[in-house]
Amino acid sequence: MTQLAPHHPAVSPGLWTLAWRRLRADRVAMAALAVVCLFLLSVVLAATGLVAADWEDEVAVNYAPPTFVGPDPALAALAQPQRPVPLNTFDPLAGDLVQLRAQLQAQLARQGHAAHAAKLATLPFGADKWGHDVIRKTIKGGQTSIVVGLVAAFVAVALGTLFGALSGFYGGRVDDLFNWFYSVFTAIPSILMVLTVAAVLQTKGVLTIVLILGLTGWTGPYRLIRAEYIKHKAREYVLAADAIGASGWRKMFVHIFPNVSHVALVQMSILVVGFIKAEVILSFLGFGVPVGVVSWGSMLNEAQNELILGKWWQLTAAATAMALLVTAFSLFADALRDALDPKLK
Amino acid sequence: MFAYILRRLWQMLPTMAGVVVLVFVLFNWVGGDPSYLLAGKMADARAIANIRAQLGLDDPWYVQLGIFVKQIATFDFGNAWATGEPVSHIIQSRLGPSLTVLVPLTVLETTIGIALALAIAFVRGSLTDRLVMVACTVGMSISILVYIIVFQYGLAYKLGLFPVQGWGEHFTENLLRYATLPILIGLAVSLAPTLRLFRSFVLDEVGQDYVRTARAKGLPERRIVWVHVLRNAAIPIITYVMANLPALLIGAFLLERFFGIPGIGREVILAVERSDFPVIKAITVYVAFATMVFNLLADLMYQAVDPRVQLT
């Protein structure tokens, strides 16, 4: 007797498995993913305090140049203990000056400022105005910018998905209402919307930026998710769910959502890039993170004035880190879209 | 045609009303009480009550909304809180400098973008195409702030090729002297995304049957690209350019701020910094209206480009 066919039918790979296979085959995408993961790792390490927690230590002299440039002779003098200026013997106050100097030295020594001499003349990638290590500062700044980008994109996609699901699934009046919302929000250019909301919300803070970006950025995901729900709500599996008495919410989010979640994911990966850029601009203008929190935007703001003094390293560090992340994230988002929706090109 | 325009304008009304209500809600409920801002640090209760009465904040909400609608309709938003300059005058006088930068920028960006997109689309898949696309992605990843800071420092401050910032009295002086570097930077920033987008528009067309037919007829490639493909790719390009014009008015705010150009975008930033609500309210509402009108204009232009489009 011939052997029976195996009892289990061959399991056909699902959407996510197929997409992952396509993504794996794409070398650029994998390289981009590796870079993104590296940045995310640095965010996690910075957030838990394992890395760059001490970025505010003034470890070097002000504006210490990068090691490969070599110490700045004008600044290196600061790193040396100061040699007293020879006294002018004709100065009637010379005696007082000697006394004052001795007092000052004693006072500095008591306050532990003698450590001034121990400050480094150079750092691997230089120091800012206060002698903070630029590398650690860039990591800490990246933490702010990336977290804002990710959380804001999540808020925007969650809102867009909720609105899009309700609108597409129920149609009729509900659809009209959300379409009206959509047309109102898209009539105002997004950058103007962001600035307007920034003007209204007087409080500065990381949460404020997340809210500004999240509450104004839902329109893109909304449009696509709504179209997906309109397409899916008439499919047989939804009718079957209806037949067994599933509620509207259950059909929308348990049955349909897993089938449209790839759209949400792609939208989110696209929004993250835009929101990181937006956060940098907002923080640069001073509408973003509060004083005392470092982000790539606030670093660029400082770097703008430093550049005129010829101190280019903070600008280079923040700009390079951001360009690297955003390039990798955009390439990955493109590849993700291609992998999840092979019909699109 | 006339009926179409009328109907479209009629359909805009709910959206316009929505924009007005949204701005009203944002500034009257979400935002804090502006009278505390206006009264300054040494405010006493009398002064605040006085300001509240002046602003009409003690009136019921529908009266306040009515005042707001009347302000929009009559172009009279009163005076700016920070400077006392009439808001209508602010908008009028800032429009010129903005357009001096934006019109040349948009024209250059669109023409160069179309030319490059057509050139790139016809070598699609080649090494050149891939390199240009990678260069675009990298170019788009660098913050606009970095472009402005580096170019302003390098070209204007160090090399002295352009004035670092400033604005003059005469149009030609402004255009040729002060606006040149901002336009060049704007072009450097916007060309990469524009090229990527236009390339995808052109790519949607080059695979079509009519292109093969045109080739089969023996038409020269140049004619196929510049006449046949371009005309068909023009519709999404027009939509994109027209829909983005009003947004550009604000979008150039960084250029205006860095180069000291007294335009609309810089005015918005100043108003946000000073919590000058009347200015922001006025600009937001009018830019939103302009966006809607430009969308309509884009639809009207379709018919000029593509005789198959029937506007009914």
Side-chain angles (χ1 to χ4, degrees), chain A residues 91-118:
Chain A
D91 189 345
L93 292 174
D96 296 338
L97 199 60
V98 171
Q99 257 188 345
L100 271 174
R101 250 183 210 156
Q103 275 176 15
L104 194 68
Q105 290 285 328
Q107 201 178 350
L108 282 176
R110 246 182 293 141
Q111 289 170 353
H113 272 278
H116 194 75

Short mmCIF file of all heavy atoms in Angstrom, two decimals, chain A residues 91-118:
data_model
loop_
_atom_site.label_atom_id
_atom_site.label_comp_id
_atom_site.label_asym_id
_atom_site.label_seq_id
_atom_site.Cartn_x
_atom_site.Cartn_y
_atom_site.Cartn_z
N ASP A 91 54.19 99.01 40.58
CA ASP A 91 52.78 99.02 40.90
C ASP A 91 52.60 99.20 42.40
O ASP A 91 53.05 98.38 43.20
CB ASP A 91 52.17 97.68 40.46
CG ASP A 91 50.67 97.70 40.57
OD1 ASP A 91 50.15 98.61 41.23
OD2 ASP A 91 50.03 96.80 39.99
N PRO A 92 51.94 100.29 42.81
CA PRO A 92 51.78 100.50 44.26
C PRO A 92 50.92 99.41 44.92
O PRO A 92 51.00 99.23 46.12
CB PRO A 92 51.11 101.87 44.36
CG PRO A 92 50.50 102.10 43.02
CD PRO A 92 51.32 101.36 42.02
N LEU A 93 50.13 98.72 44.12
CA LEU A 93 49.25 97.72 44.69
C LEU A 93 49.87 96.32 44.63
O LEU A 93 49.19 95.34 44.90
CB LEU A 93 47.91 97.70 43.96
CG LEU A 93 47.05 98.95 44.15
CD1 LEU A 93 45.82 98.87 43.28
CD2 LEU A 93 46.66 99.11 45.61
N ALA A 94 51.15 96.24 44.25
CA ALA A 94 51.77 94.94 44.02
C ALA A 94 51.67 94.04 45.25
O ALA A 94 51.35 92.85 45.14
CB ALA A 94 53.24 95.12 43.63
N GLY A 95 51.90 94.62 46.41
CA GLY A 95 51.84 93.81 47.63
C GLY A 95 50.48 93.21 47.84
O GLY A 95 50.31 92.02 48.12
N ASP A 96 49.43 94.06 47.63
CA ASP A 96 48.05 93.59 47.79
C ASP A 96 47.76 92.47 46.81
O ASP A 96 47.10 91.49 47.14
CB ASP A 96 47.07 94.73 47.54
CG ASP A 96 47.23 95.83 48.57
OD1 ASP A 96 47.78 95.51 49.65
OD2 ASP A 96 46.84 96.97 48.29
N LEU A 97 48.27 92.64 45.60
CA LEU A 97 48.01 91.66 44.55
C LEU A 97 48.57 90.30 44.93
O LEU A 97 47.90 89.27 44.75
CB LEU A 97 48.64 92.14 43.24
CG LEU A 97 48.09 91.49 41.97
CD1 LEU A 97 46.62 91.76 41.84
CD2 LEU A 97 48.83 92.01 40.76
N VAL A 98 49.77 90.28 45.48
CA VAL A 98 50.38 89.02 45.91
C VAL A 98 49.49 88.36 46.96
O VAL A 98 49.19 87.16 46.88
CB VAL A 98 51.79 89.26 46.47
CG1 VAL A 98 52.34 87.99 47.12
CG2 VAL A 98 52.72 89.73 45.37
N GLN A 99 49.04 89.17 47.90
CA GLN A 99 48.17 88.64 48.96
C GLN A 99 46.88 88.06 48.38
O GLN A 99 46.46 86.95 48.70
CB GLN A 99 47.82 89.77 49.93
CG GLN A 99 48.60 89.70 51.22
CD GLN A 99 48.08 90.72 52.20
OE1 GLN A 99 47.36 91.64 51.83
NE2 GLN A 99 48.45 90.55 53.46
N LEU A 100 46.26 88.85 47.48
CA LEU A 100 44.99 88.43 46.87
C LEU A 100 45.15 87.11 46.14
O LEU A 100 44.32 86.22 46.24
CB LEU A 100 44.51 89.49 45.87
CG LEU A 100 43.63 90.60 46.45
CD1 LEU A 100 43.35 91.63 45.38
CD2 LEU A 100 42.32 90.00 46.96
N ARG A 101 46.26 87.01 45.40
CA ARG A 101 46.51 85.80 44.64
C ARG A 101 46.61 84.59 45.55
O ARG A 101 46.05 83.53 45.27
CB ARG A 101 47.80 85.94 43.84
CG ARG A 101 47.52 86.05 42.37
CD ARG A 101 48.81 86.10 41.63
NE ARG A 101 48.63 86.88 40.43
CZ ARG A 101 49.61 87.50 39.80
NH1 ARG A 101 50.83 87.48 40.30
NH2 ARG A 101 49.36 88.15 38.70
N ALA A 102 47.35 84.77 46.65
CA ALA A 102 47.52 83.67 47.59
C ALA A 102 46.17 83.23 48.15
O ALA A 102 45.85 82.04 48.23
CB ALA A 102 48.45 84.09 48.72
N GLN A 103 45.33 84.25 48.49
CA GLN A 103 44.00 83.94 49.01
C GLN A 103 43.18 83.15 47.99
O GLN A 103 42.53 82.15 48.31
CB GLN A 103 43.26 85.22 49.36
CG GLN A 103 43.59 85.76 50.73
CD GLN A 103 42.90 87.10 50.97
OE1 GLN A 103 41.99 87.45 50.23
NE2 GLN A 103 43.35 87.82 51.97
N LEU A 104 43.23 83.63 46.75
CA LEU A 104 42.46 83.00 45.68
C LEU A 104 42.90 81.56 45.48
O LEU A 104 42.06 80.65 45.37
CB LEU A 104 42.65 83.79 44.38
CG LEU A 104 41.67 83.47 43.27
CD1 LEU A 104 40.27 83.94 43.64
CD2 LEU A 104 42.11 84.12 41.97
N GLN A 105 44.20 81.35 45.46
CA GLN A 105 44.73 79.99 45.30
C GLN A 105 44.22 79.08 46.41
O GLN A 105 43.75 77.97 46.15
CB GLN A 105 46.27 80.01 45.34
CG GLN A 105 46.92 80.65 44.12
CD GLN A 105 46.89 79.74 42.91
OE1 GLN A 105 46.95 78.52 43.08
NE2 GLN A 105 46.74 80.30 41.73
N ALA A 106 44.28 79.61 47.64
CA ALA A 106 43.86 78.81 48.79
C ALA A 106 42.38 78.45 48.67
O ALA A 106 41.97 77.30 48.90
CB ALA A 106 44.12 79.58 50.08
N GLN A 107 41.61 79.47 48.27
CA GLN A 107 40.16 79.25 48.16
C GLN A 107 39.86 78.20 47.09
O GLN A 107 39.06 77.30 47.30
CB GLN A 107 39.48 80.56 47.81
CG GLN A 107 38.01 80.58 48.16
CD GLN A 107 37.39 81.92 47.83
OE1 GLN A 107 38.09 82.87 47.52
NE2 GLN A 107 36.08 81.98 47.91
N LEU A 108 40.52 78.34 45.91
CA LEU A 108 40.31 77.39 44.83
C LEU A 108 40.68 75.99 45.28
O LEU A 108 39.98 75.02 44.97
CB LEU A 108 41.14 77.78 43.61
CG LEU A 108 40.57 78.93 42.77
CD1 LEU A 108 41.54 79.27 41.64
CD2 LEU A 108 39.21 78.55 42.19
N ALA A 109 41.79 75.88 46.01
CA ALA A 109 42.25 74.57 46.45
C ALA A 109 41.21 73.95 47.40
O ALA A 109 40.91 72.76 47.31
CB ALA A 109 43.59 74.70 47.16
N ARG A 110 40.62 74.82 48.27
CA ARG A 110 39.63 74.31 49.22
C ARG A 110 38.39 73.79 48.48
O ARG A 110 37.81 72.78 48.83
CB ARG A 110 39.22 75.43 50.19
CG ARG A 110 39.66 75.13 51.64
CD ARG A 110 39.19 76.24 52.53
NE ARG A 110 39.92 77.46 52.17
CZ ARG A 110 39.40 78.68 52.13
NH1 ARG A 110 38.18 78.88 52.44
NH2 ARG A 110 40.10 79.71 51.78
N GLN A 111 38.00 74.50 47.43
CA GLN A 111 36.79 74.10 46.69
C GLN A 111 37.06 72.98 45.70
O GLN A 111 36.16 72.59 44.96
CB GLN A 111 36.21 75.30 45.94
CG GLN A 111 35.58 76.31 46.87
CD GLN A 111 35.22 77.59 46.15
OE1 GLN A 111 35.56 77.76 44.98
NE2 GLN A 111 34.55 78.47 46.85
N GLY A 112 38.29 72.52 45.65
CA GLY A 112 38.59 71.40 44.76
C GLY A 112 38.75 71.83 43.32
O GLY A 112 38.69 71.01 42.41
N HIS A 113 38.94 73.12 43.10
CA HIS A 113 39.08 73.58 41.71
C HIS A 113 40.47 73.35 41.17
O HIS A 113 40.73 73.63 40.01
CB HIS A 113 38.72 75.06 41.59
CG HIS A 113 37.27 75.26 41.35
ND1 HIS A 113 36.71 75.15 40.11
CD2 HIS A 113 36.25 75.52 42.20
CE1 HIS A 113 35.41 75.35 40.20
NE2 HIS A 113 35.11 75.57 41.46
N ALA A 114 41.33 72.82 42.01
CA ALA A 114 42.66 72.50 41.51
C ALA A 114 42.55 71.46 40.41
O ALA A 114 43.41 71.34 39.55
CB ALA A 114 43.53 71.97 42.64
N ALA A 115 41.43 70.73 40.43
CA ALA A 115 41.18 69.71 39.41
C ALA A 115 41.15 70.33 38.02
O ALA A 115 41.26 69.63 37.03
CB ALA A 115 39.88 68.99 39.70
N HIS A 116 40.99 71.65 37.96
CA HIS A 116 40.99 72.36 36.68
C HIS A 116 42.17 71.94 35.83
O HIS A 116 42.06 71.76 34.63
CB HIS A 116 41.03 73.86 36.96
CG HIS A 116 40.71 74.67 35.75
ND1 HIS A 116 39.43 74.81 35.30
CD2 HIS A 116 41.50 75.38 34.91
CE1 HIS A 116 39.44 75.57 34.21
NE2 HIS A 116 40.68 75.93 33.96
N ALA A 117 43.28 71.76 36.48
CA ALA A 117 44.51 71.43 35.76
C ALA A 117 44.41 70.05 35.12
O ALA A 117 45.06 69.78 34.13
CB ALA A 117 45.69 71.48 36.71
N ALA A 118 43.55 69.19 35.69
CA ALA A 118 43.50 67.82 35.21
C ALA A 118 42.62 67.69 33.97
O ALA A 118 42.51 66.62 33.40
CB ALA A 118 42.97 66.91 36.31
#
